[in-house]
């Protein structure tokens, strides 16, 4: 069960990622040798999921250092600052990307004090060590979330999840799906319903693929089926991941998460957010819409090359929504379960 797909690996001075745009049709890898390549992969969602883009961003900073070795010292400082800014802004909502870039930026800054603008193999090795640490820590946090979360799951349960918060989205077994993998190991999980997750179908393309590989009973539903299933008494709990959680418990996650939280409350079904402690952004008292990424209208009107709306139609397509703590039964973190605000 723990032998899940590895979404990200550093090998032979390259970042090797599963190209998630090709799933479920083909399991292919991209080998990224430039930081621009990593940014492109993050923007196109070839690598996606908050922890995974944080890990990819940390490795991208290693590539920045390697690329800067070829530059004249006079150009280096400006190049480094610009490149790190570009990585950080590739996707705005997940706290993990800005955290990873911040950690790597500090290593560049310390080096600058000690050695001026010298970028050498020693600095590259330090950055790589730091990226590997972020990666390994994420793997361990997923295991811990899985163990804490599984304790909440009654025998014979059926879960509902949205998007993909699994191995493909993290450095380990996943957050929301981590809970499900461990519950399955413990013989408690009967079935998982996976919301399709319009418009980019991370639920049907990625979660269904991942759970099927792991031998978990998974049933795909289109997003609008969730309420009807709850009404029929088919769902025992909902579990989702998170991209950023503010001090007051406001939780940003894939668009549609808020709707599921409302539905879960209306039907008296527990609604859990599974996320590591690092997803909590204590610098923000609450979340605002400014942090919510807006996606290209083409993903809605012409997704997967099929035109499904008239030319020129106005589209509103936020990638994430914000669920208030009052709708969350509990946060399952790597340090334990924190009560939410739902009565
Ligand atoms: O747009 P995506 O696919 O990156 O959105 C991902 C999610 O919303 C996940 O639920 C979240 O990042 C947590 S992944 C452990």
């Amino acid at each position: 069960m723990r032998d899940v797909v590895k979404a990200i690996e550093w090998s032979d001075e390259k970042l090797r990622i599963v190209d998630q745009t090709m799933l479920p049709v083909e399991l292919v890898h991209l080998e990224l040798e430039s930081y621009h390549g990593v940014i492109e992969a993050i923007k196109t969602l070839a690598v996606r999921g908050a922890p995974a883009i944080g890990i990819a961003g940390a490795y991208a900073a290693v590539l920045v250092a390697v690329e800067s070795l070829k530059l004249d010292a006079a150009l280096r400082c400006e190049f480094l600052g610009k490149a790190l800014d570009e990585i950080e802004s590739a996707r705005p909502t997940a706290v993990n990307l800005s955290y990873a870039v911040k950690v790597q930026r500090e290593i560049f800054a310390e080096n600058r004090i000690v050695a001026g603008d010298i970028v050498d193999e020693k600095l590259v090795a330090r950055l790589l060590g730091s990226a590997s640490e972020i990666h390994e820590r994420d793997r361990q946090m997923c295991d811990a979330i899985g163990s804490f979360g599984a304790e909440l799951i009654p025998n014979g349960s059926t879960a509902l999840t949205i998007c993909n918060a699994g191995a493909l989205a993290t450095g380990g077994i996943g957050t929301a799906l981590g809970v499900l993998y461990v519950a399955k190991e413990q013989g408690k999980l009967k079935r998982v319903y996976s919301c399709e997750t319009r418009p980019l179908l991370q639920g049907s393309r990625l979660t269904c693929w991942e759970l099927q590989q792991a031998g978990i009973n998974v049933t795909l539903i289109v997003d609008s089926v969730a309420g009807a299933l709850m009404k029929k008494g088919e769902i025992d709990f909902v579990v989702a991941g998170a991209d950023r959680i503010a001090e007051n418990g406001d939780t940003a996650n894939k668009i549609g998460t808020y709707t599921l939280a409302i539905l879960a409350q209306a039907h008296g079904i527990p609604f859990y957010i599974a996320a590591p402690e690092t997803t909590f952004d204590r610098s923000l008292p609450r979340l605002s819409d400014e942090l919510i990424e807006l996606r290209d209208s083409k993903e809605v009107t012409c997704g997967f090359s099929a035109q499904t709306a008239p030319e020129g139609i106005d589209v509103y397509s936020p990638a994430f929504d914000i669920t208030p703590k009052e709708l969350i039964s509990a946060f399952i973190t790597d340090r334990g379960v924190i009560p939410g605000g739902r009565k």
Side-chain angles (χ1 to χ4, degrees):
M1 193 67 58
R2 303 276 162 113
D3 186 25
V4 288
V5 61
K6 279 194 173 58
I8 305 177
E9 283 168 288
W10 179 264
S11 129
D12 207 12
E13 294 173 23
K14 291 176 206 128
L15 186 61
R16 189 166 187 270
I17 59 161
V18 170
D19 183 351
Q20 299 190 35
T21 64
M22 299 301 286
L23 285 170
V25 180
E26 266 184 291
L27 177 59
V28 289
H29 290 83
L30 292 174
E31 296 204 332
L32 308 169
E33 296 178 59
S34 73
Y35 86 90
H36 268 130
V38 181
I39 290 176
E40 183 63 12
I42 292 174
K43 287 187 171 169
T44 57
L45 273 57
V47 60
R48 47 141 304 279
I53 62 176
I55 296 164
Y59 285 118
V62 180
L63 294 172
V64 168
V66 171
E67 287 172 58
S68 80
L69 286 170
K70 297 169 205 144
L71 290 177
D72 213 70
L75 299 171
R76 191 170 292 140
C77 187
E78 196 190 331
F79 169 80
L80 294 177
K82 207 175 129 260
L84 294 175
D85 288 349
E86 275 177 68
I87 297 169
E88 192 172 356
S89 58
R91 289 192 81 190
T93 309
V95 70
N96 312 60
L97 187 56
S98 43
Y99 171 77
V101 173
K102 179 171 161 263
V103 168
Q104 299 296 55
R105 217 188 268 280
E106 278 164 15
I107 293 176
F108 277 109
E110 277 167 31
N111 187 73
R112 194 162 303 137
I113 293 164
V114 179
D117 280 334
I118 294 174
V119 174
D120 55 13
E121 294 302 335
K122 239 164 81 187
L123 175 63
V124 172
R126 266 195 80 192
L127 291 163
L128 183 54
S130 151
S132 310
E133 208 178 299
I134 290 174
H135 196 166
E136 172 57 18
R137 212 178 330 127
D138 190 65
R139 191 189 63 72
Q140 292 170 6
M141 288 189 297
C142 288
D143 281 347
I145 289 169
S147 302
F148 284 121
E151 284 174 28
L152 298 173
I153 311 306
N155 273 329
S157 291
T158 294
L160 174 66
T161 191
I162 182 168
C163 194
N164 173 269
L168 287 166
T170 63
I173 59 171
T175 56
L177 296 197
V179 173
L180 302 180
Y181 285 130
V182 178
K184 163 77 175 169
E185 263 175 12
Q186 298 177 354
K188 294 170 165 178
L189 190 68
K190 190 164 116 197
R191 170 171 304 281
V192 177
Y193 283 97
S194 169
C195 286
E196 185 181 36
T197 319
R198 280 276 293 155
L200 294 178
L201 311 184
Q202 289 93 329
S204 62
R205 293 188 304 107
L206 308 176
T207 291
C208 286
W209 179 83
E210 214 190 292
L211 295 182
Q212 201 178 51
Q213 299 282 310
I216 290 181
N217 281 334
V218 54
T219 302
L220 171 65
I221 56 168
V222 300
D223 299 327
S224 44
V225 171
L229 264 186
M230 289 184 191
K231 190 161 169 244
K232 280 174 70 181
E234 294 286 327
I235 306 294
D236 297 304
F237 67 97
V238 180
V239 64
D243 280 73
R244 195 185 292 250
I245 304 171
E247 180 63 28
N248 71 346
D250 278 355
T251 298
N253 191 53
K254 180 53 55 194
I255 190 74
T257 303
Y258 172 63
T259 314
L260 290 184
I262 295 266
L263 285 171
Q265 184 185 48
H267 292 87
I269 295 165
F271 180 90
Y272 301 123
I273 289 291
E277 181 62 27
T278 47
T279 305
F280 289 78
D281 182 350
R282 312 262 180 223
S283 72
L284 289 181
R286 65 192 66 80
L287 292 185
S288 74
D289 280 340
E290 278 156 46
L291 272 174
I292 303 295
E293 176 187 6
L294 291 175
R295 298 289 302 180
D296 193 319
S297 60
K298 281 264 181 310
E299 292 177 349
V300 177
T301 60
C302 199
F304 305 96
S305 307
Q307 185 165 347
T308 51
E311 277 305 331
I313 194 76
D314 186 39
V315 173
Y316 171 57
S317 183
F320 304 97
D321 57 24
I322 299 170
T323 302
K325 184 180 176 180
E326 292 62 41
L327 293 174
I328 297 168
S329 308
F331 296 94
I332 304 166
T333 80
D334 53 303
R335 304 214 186 139
V337 175
I338 303 171
R342 209 174 99 183
K343 299 278 176 276

